[in-house]
């Protein structure tokens, strides 16, 4: 149960004072009736709340699968670049999403957003060993023997520029300059650094799968709501 004014602040309808004014002015309906008590207790998953004609979309947890476009930052706010949160439209613009595993500015593909910090932990904690699969395009024709070296321990630098031994779980050549790689880790620039270690520059990187969830056929910038069971 949550107080009506607290719910409306959480859902970004304004400051405490602003939402209390909305309630006092009869702009808020609960289950079809005007509610003027700011301390009215309600259960937002069951009670229908309408504010200024907008019905609140509330769930204990909301998970979105986003097809991140190149040039968007995996962040909530940034002074320089468009951020992934900018893509979210009604009714998702009122929720605070966290990103379960970032992609570089120049990478694209599957990004999972969730309102639950616990789910972020379940997806990103290295001990959980969640497998991520990437489609890689390289600058030069890939030699299958070199690609297979990624299945053996190989040294790269991690985010602190310390050396780090890693290996891929699976690799697959798709065409001359394209390959798939699956990892159960997520070090900074890991895929680019692994390919650099075998002599290739990654010129396009697209994440296509996280856990069980294969990115559906949606355009860059589009997203859809999914369930935790779809991923874990
Ligand atoms: N590895 C990278 O190098 N970049 C990404 O965005 C994701 C994995």
């Amino acid at each position: 149960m949550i107080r009506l004014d607290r719910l409306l602040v959480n859902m970004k309808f304004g400051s405490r004072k602003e939402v209390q004014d909305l309630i006092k002015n009869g702009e808020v309906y609960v289950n079809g009736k005007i509610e003027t008590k700011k301390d009215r207790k309600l259960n937002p998953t069951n009670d229908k709340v309408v504010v200024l004609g907008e019905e609140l979309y509330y769930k204990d947890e909301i998970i979105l699968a986003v097809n991140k476009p190149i040039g968007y930052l995996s962040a909530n706010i940034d002074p320089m670049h468009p951020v992934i949160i900018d893509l979210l439209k009604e009714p998702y613009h009122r929720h605070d999403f966290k990103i379960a595993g970032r992609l570089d500015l120049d990478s694209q593909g599957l990004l999972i957003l969730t309102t639950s910090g616990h789910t972020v932990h379940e997806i990103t904690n290295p001990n959980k060993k969640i497998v991520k699969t990437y489609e890689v395009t390289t600058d030069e024709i890939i030699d299958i023997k070199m690609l297979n070296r990624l299945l053996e321990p190989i040294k790269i630098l991690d985010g602190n520029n310390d050396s780090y031994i890693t290996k891929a779980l699976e690799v697959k050549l798709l065409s001359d300059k394209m390959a798939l790689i699956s990892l159960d880790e997520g070090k900074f620039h890991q895929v680019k650094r692994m390919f650099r270690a075998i002599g290739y520059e990654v010129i396009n990187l697209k994440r296509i799968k996280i856990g069980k969830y294969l990115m559906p056929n949606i355009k860059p910038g589009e997203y859809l709501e999914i369930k935790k069971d779809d991923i874990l």
Side-chain angles (χ1 to χ4, degrees):
M1 300 293 268
I2 183 168
R3 271 174 64 128
L4 181 57
D5 54 357
R6 162 88 0 236
L7 175 69
L8 299 194
V9 171
N10 290 353
M11 300 285 290
K12 303 188 176 46
F13 281 95
S15 64
R16 182 158 256 222
K17 167 83 177 70
E18 285 164 342
V19 305
Q20 287 177 353
D21 285 347
L22 283 176
I23 297 167
K24 203 160 58 191
N25 295 338
E27 301 287 5
V28 180
Y29 286 72
V30 177
N31 299 329
K33 291 204 204 92
I34 291 184
E35 178 56 77
T36 52
K37 288 201 272 327
K38 63 185 180 199
D39 60 353
R40 158 79 188 263
K41 295 269 196 327
L42 49 89
N43 174 352
T45 27
N46 298 329
D47 293 316
K48 179 172 146 185
V49 181
V50 177
V51 184
L52 293 166
E54 177 185 335
E55 182 176 344
L56 292 200
Y57 182 68
Y58 185 93
K59 283 185 184 173
D60 287 338
E61 176 174 12
I62 302 175
I63 304 180
L64 299 177
V66 184
N67 185 353
K68 175 196 173 297
I70 292 171
Y72 275 73
L73 210 63
S74 302
N76 291 57
I77 184 158
D78 187 78
M80 292 261 292
H81 299 284
V83 294
I84 210 73
I85 301 297
D86 295 343
L87 295 169
L88 305 185
K89 308 274 181 306
E90 218 177 299
Y92 302 110
H93 63 305
R94 297 203 175 277
H95 299 271
D96 285 322
F97 285 100
K98 299 155 207 24
I99 300 170
R102 291 159 194 273
L103 286 170
D104 297 336
L105 186 65
D106 60 356
S107 299
Q108 57 180 316
L110 179 60
L111 207 60
I112 291 183
L113 307 185
T114 165
T115 53
S116 157
H118 180 69
T119 301
V120 172
H121 176 80
E122 286 182 290
I123 296 173
T124 59
N125 185 319
N127 299 328
K128 307 275 180 187
K129 302 262 175 235
I130 301 299
V131 178
K132 278 112 8 197
T133 302
Y134 300 85
E135 189 185 277
V136 174
T137 309
T138 52
D139 58 337
E140 286 180 35
I141 294 174
I142 303 170
D143 175 346
I144 182 78
K145 282 206 256 0
M146 295 306 282
L147 184 67
N148 283 335
R149 280 187 51 191
L150 294 178
L151 297 169
E152 307 296 328
I154 192 164
K155 190 158 42 161
I156 59 166
L157 295 179
D158 69 8
N160 300 320
N161 283 339
D162 293 327
S163 58
Y164 180 77
I165 307 287
T166 183
K167 63 184 177 122
L169 296 174
E170 248 184 278
V171 290
K172 185 173 176 201
L173 198 58
L174 294 179
S175 64
D176 280 359
K177 297 185 178 181
M178 282 180 83
L180 289 182
I181 178 168
S182 296
L183 303 173
D184 60 5
E185 302 174 314
K187 295 281 180 202
F188 186 58
H189 294 335
Q190 180 155 357
V191 173
K192 291 174 186 162
R193 287 178 173 183
M194 289 176 78
F195 274 81
R196 205 167 290 153
I198 56 160
Y200 302 99
E201 282 302 313
V202 171
I203 58 168
N204 196 294
L205 182 55
K206 192 199 279 183
R207 184 157 59 198
I208 59 166
K209 196 172 178 193
I210 298 179
K212 298 188 291 183
Y213 190 74
L214 187 64
M215 194 168 67
N217 194 10
I218 55 175
K219 296 199 189 83
E222 292 183 345
Y223 53 87
L224 45 88
E225 197 173 326
I226 62 172
K227 296 189 292 301
K228 194 144 104 174
D229 280 359
D230 297 329
I231 313 164
L232 301 176

